[in-house]
Amino acid sequence: MSKVKPYALTSGTISNIEGAMTFTESIRTCFSKYADFKGCATKSELWWWVLFVFITTIALGIISDKLSAVFSVATLLPYFAVVTRRLHDTDRSGWFQLWAIIPVIGWILLIYWCVQESKSPNRFA
């Protein structure tokens, strides 16, 4: 028998109590918080969004490079916003994204911070 996860209504969306979001919840949340750099984001919200942007960019690239480029530019701001909210969830400033400017080491460091567990309470919640 499969275990049913308990769900709760949080900030207008339904998600399970552990904070994990489904793929569609994550996409809906990231588009609804298009340029919202305040608050926190769960790991699942960030990583579902990254997967969505990656797959859609590749699929659109097969159809048209220009269409893929337009999509990438259109999703750049919500991408920065969700990473900022994820860093807030680990009690770090969104400015820590600037570490990504440093090739390889900066990317690894940013990924490491994004996969860490949420810190509660934190100064951004």
Side-chain angles (χ1 to χ4, degrees), residues 38-59:
K38 295 178 180 160
C40 298
T42 61
K43 283 193 287 188
S44 59
E45 180 180 349
L46 171 66
W47 296 113
W48 282 127
W49 176 256
V50 170
L51 180 66
F52 165 73
V53 170
F54 179 74
I55 290 173
T56 307
T57 301
I58 289 175

Side-chain angles (χ1 to χ4, degrees), residues 10-94:
T10 57
S11 65
T13 61
I14 297 176
S15 60
N16 67 40
I17 290 179
E18 286 90 21
M21 291 184 144
T22 66
F23 182 77
T24 54
E25 286 174 332
S26 173
I27 305 312
R28 191 177 314 119
T29 301
C30 288
F31 276 122
S32 68
K33 295 181 175 183
Y34 194 87
D36 184 4
F37 291 85
K38 295 178 180 160
C40 298
T42 61
K43 283 193 287 188
S44 59
E45 180 180 349
L46 171 66
W47 296 113
W48 282 127
W49 176 256
V50 170
L51 180 66
F52 165 73
V53 170
F54 179 74
I55 290 173
T56 307
T57 301
I58 289 175
L60 291 174
I62 292 169
I63 298 168
S64 166
D65 288 338
K66 289 180 183 178
L67 192 57
S68 176
V70 168
F71 176 79
S72 295
V73 169
T75 57
L76 193 60
L77 187 59
Y79 191 89
F80 287 136
V82 73
V83 172
T84 296
R85 291 192 311 269
R86 179 65 200 134
L87 288 171
H88 285 176
D89 200 35
T90 62
D91 203 26
R92 289 182 178 81
S93 170

